[in-house]
Amino acid sequence: MAQHKEIDPARIPRHVAIVMDGNGRWAECRHQPRLFGHRAGVESVQEVVTVAADLGIQVLTLYAFSSENWKRPQAEVGGLMSLLKTFLVRELDRMLQNNVRLSCIGDLLRLPADVQETLEQSIKATAANNGLILNLALSYGGRAEITQAVQRIGRLCQAGELRPDDIDEEVIADHLYSAGLPDPDLLIRTGGEARLSNFLLWQSSYAEILFSKVMWPDFRREAFVDAILDFQRRERRFGKTGAQLRTG
Ligand code: FPP
């Protein structure tokens, strides 16, 4: 239930997706190593998850590691994997208490075996929860996601189980990593850059996009609530005119 008096509880975005950018620059400004920024970023994750659950958001997708992030120095990649694992272990109780269900999208087989195992355990342990879905995008790339969907659909056609003419948007959506999840209503990118960076390319066609200058480690409750308020001030037309929407 919404606990912030300015927020309209009837217009809460169902799905909020976030590109959590700016950890490295935040740390560099403080003359600290980049991992210091990622560590502070985990605290923002905890806070935003709590607010999202309080507000009754159904799905929160966090871009925690992109398919391109594998190109970063090994020490940073290893540090991020270990932060992720620690987060999953430490947060499990809180996820269970807060009725949060964990899910993941991405090329998960590229993740270290121990991280895959911890993820699997947390996904299983929270599977019966029916509150917020915390969906982590890990080793995720939008183009890779669409490519694997096309491959799987191609195999179905080859096996005679699907006719090419029957491929529609629903069939494609059903073969993405995100099958079963609603499309994002609001996509936030922190850190001041205005690009999508291969995030949810198919799913974001009608998402409201908010580019925030706030670095992710500083993106806490207030910034998140402001983002929801900004979303609620927008008119979503889905290709129609404003007049059409107002006359129903
Ligand atoms: C982008 O900032 C951020 C990442 C690549 C990693 C995000 C990871 C976390 C917030 C912590 C781990 C996540 C979870 C879910 C526990 P950047 O490093 O590109 O920043 P920069 O643009 O300032 O260099």
Side-chain angles (χ1 to χ4, degrees), residues 20-25 34 38 42 64 69 72 80 87 216:
M20 308 182 286
D21 195 20
N23 295 346
R25 278 165 289 156
R34 296 175 58 81
H38 294 315
V42 174
N69 287 152
R72 291 195 176 193
L80 278 167
F87 168 84
W216 178 250

Side-chain angles (χ1 to χ4, degrees), residues 33-151:
R34 296 175 58 81
L35 265 178
F36 181 76
H38 294 315
R39 233 174 268 129
V42 174
E43 288 171 38
S44 297
V45 169
Q46 286 160 338
E47 200 159 314
V48 166
V49 170
T50 305
V51 178
D54 278 357
L55 290 176
I57 289 169
Q58 286 178 24
V59 186
L60 176 69
T61 297
L62 300 178
Y63 205 3
F65 195 86
S66 74
S67 41
E68 288 72 31
N69 287 152
W70 292 113
K71 297 180 202 144
R72 291 195 176 193
Q74 234 180 337
E76 185 171 344
V77 171
L80 278 167
M81 290 300 138
S82 124
L83 272 183
L84 177 64
K85 188 174 164 186
T86 313
F87 168 84
L88 291 169
V89 171
R90 215 186 37 210
E91 290 300 300
L92 182 58
D93 277 348
R94 208 195 315 227
M95 286 196 263
L96 292 170
Q97 272 163 24
N98 294 338
N99 197 18
V100 172
R101 173 151 75 89
L102 183 72
S103 76
C104 279
I105 52 173
D107 184 2
L108 305 180
L109 294 176
R110 283 188 79 182
L111 298 170
D114 60 326
V115 175
Q116 287 186 43
E117 209 174 292
T118 312
L119 270 171
E120 230 168 82
Q121 285 164 359
S122 300
I123 289 173
K124 223 184 205 173
T126 61
N129 290 348
N130 60 5
L132 174 73
I133 296 175
L134 171 59
N135 182 38
L136 298 181
L138 295 167
S139 187
Y140 174 87
R143 286 187 172 189
E145 177 182 40
I146 294 169
T147 305
Q148 67 79 39
V150 172
Q151 288 171 344

